[in-house]
Amino acid sequence: MKIRQDAWSHEDDVLLAESVLTHIKEGSTQLKAFDEVGDALNRTSAACGFRWNAVVRQKHLKHIDQAKRERKERKRMLSSSYFPAFERPRQQTTYSFKREKAMNETISVDSIIEQLQQLSNQKMGNSDLQVENEKLRNDLQKVTSKLNELQHLVARNKQEHSMIEEDYQSLITIMNRARRMSILEDHADSQDDFRMETNGSLEKLDK
């Protein structure tokens, strides 16, 4: 049972390129090369075809042209060996061309199916990412709301602390005035006269 594998190593690409070029030189089809490489790497033929068309092929354009020239020369030599010039079947080349074209079209369909599957998986991944983003957005709103509550609580505590401080200062002022009034009463019968200022302090009067 062949399984799908996403990662391609450099050695895998080299094996794929060498196999395809060899089949081209020998007059075989790329589909057979994909089947051969798929068996060697435990991959599907469609995956090998997609890798060839999407990545590897662009790196070996010159080698492909050279392989096609060698295939053409090989066919010419074989035709010269088995058929006289006046008896060569003219339709054989056309038939081979049509067959190879049909094979390439099959490979293209397989490649399209592979691409659609990858796009479908990518969309599923994007959907999961959207769910995760929505969750993070909700968490951020909760944290922001909690922060606002804490800031409001701190502001209220500061206000209460300020009121307590004012009450404390007022109490100190009242206690100081009461103490000075007590001193003033203690000296009421003495010869010294005192006057209380508006701030609560006592001032001795000169006679």
Side-chain angles (χ1 to χ4, degrees):
M1 182 66 182
K2 297 181 181 179
I3 58 176
R4 177 179 174 182
Q5 302 178 14
D6 293 331
W8 282 77
S9 65
H10 176 70
E11 290 76 12
D12 295 343
D13 288 342
V14 171
L15 176 61
L16 177 60
E18 290 178 351
S19 298
V20 172
L21 292 174
T22 299
H23 278 267
I24 292 175
K25 292 178 183 178
E26 294 176 355
S28 181
T29 63
Q30 296 181 11
L31 184 59
K32 290 184 179 180
F34 298 155
D35 291 335
E36 180 179 292
V37 176
D39 293 336
L41 301 180
N42 194 27
R43 296 178 183 270
T44 63
S45 176
C48 296
F50 177 78
R51 182 67 178 179
W52 169 258
N53 292 320
V55 179
V56 181
R57 182 177 181 276
Q58 299 298 324
K59 300 178 181 179
H60 297 277
L61 295 178
K62 293 182 179 179
H63 298 92
I64 293 173
D65 293 337
Q66 179 63 28
K68 288 181 178 180
R69 285 194 294 268
E70 293 182 12
R71 179 184 63 187
K72 184 176 180 180
E73 182 64 21
R74 180 187 181 91
K75 288 184 178 180
R76 188 185 65 81
M77 293 179 61
L78 290 175
S79 298
S80 300
S81 300
Y82 291 99
F83 299 98
F86 59 90
E87 293 181 353
R88 293 174 188 173
R90 301 181 60 184
Q91 299 298 326
Q92 184 176 2
T93 303
T94 304
Y95 173 76
S96 300
F97 174 77
K98 290 182 179 180
R99 183 178 180 183
E100 183 175 356
K101 182 179 180 182
M103 292 296 181
N104 291 333
E105 289 177 354
T106 303
I107 295 171
S108 299
V109 172
D110 293 337
S111 300
I112 293 173
I113 294 175
E114 183 76 14
Q115 289 177 335
L116 291 176
Q117 291 176 347
Q118 290 186 353
L119 289 175
S120 178
N121 294 335
Q122 184 177 2
K123 288 182 179 179
M124 293 177 61
N126 291 337
S127 177
D128 295 338
L129 183 60
Q130 290 177 357
V131 173
E132 185 67 20
N133 288 339
E134 185 66 22
K135 181 180 178 181
L136 292 175
R137 189 179 297 107
N138 293 333
D139 292 341
L140 178 60
Q141 291 178 352
K142 293 179 181 178
V143 173
T144 302
S145 177
K146 189 65 176 179
L147 179 60
N148 292 335
E149 292 179 2
L150 292 175
Q151 290 177 343
H152 180 71
L153 180 61
V154 170
R156 186 174 63 183
N157 290 338
K158 286 184 179 180
Q159 184 178 4
E160 293 178 354
H161 178 75
S162 178
M163 294 175 62
I164 293 174
E165 182 69 22
E166 291 178 359
D167 292 341
Y168 175 75
Q169 294 297 333
S170 298
L171 180 60
I172 294 298
T173 302
I174 293 172
M175 291 177 63
N176 288 334
R177 287 186 178 182
R179 181 175 58 81
R180 294 187 182 98
M181 288 296 296
S182 177
I183 295 174
L184 183 60
E185 290 176 356
D186 291 340
H187 293 79
D189 297 333
S190 66
Q191 296 179 353
D192 298 329
D193 294 331
F194 293 88
R195 182 179 64 185
M196 180 176 288
E197 300 292 339
T198 57
N199 60 2
S201 62
L202 295 177
E203 181 182 359
K204 185 177 181 182
L205 300 177
D206 297 332
K207 294 183 178 180

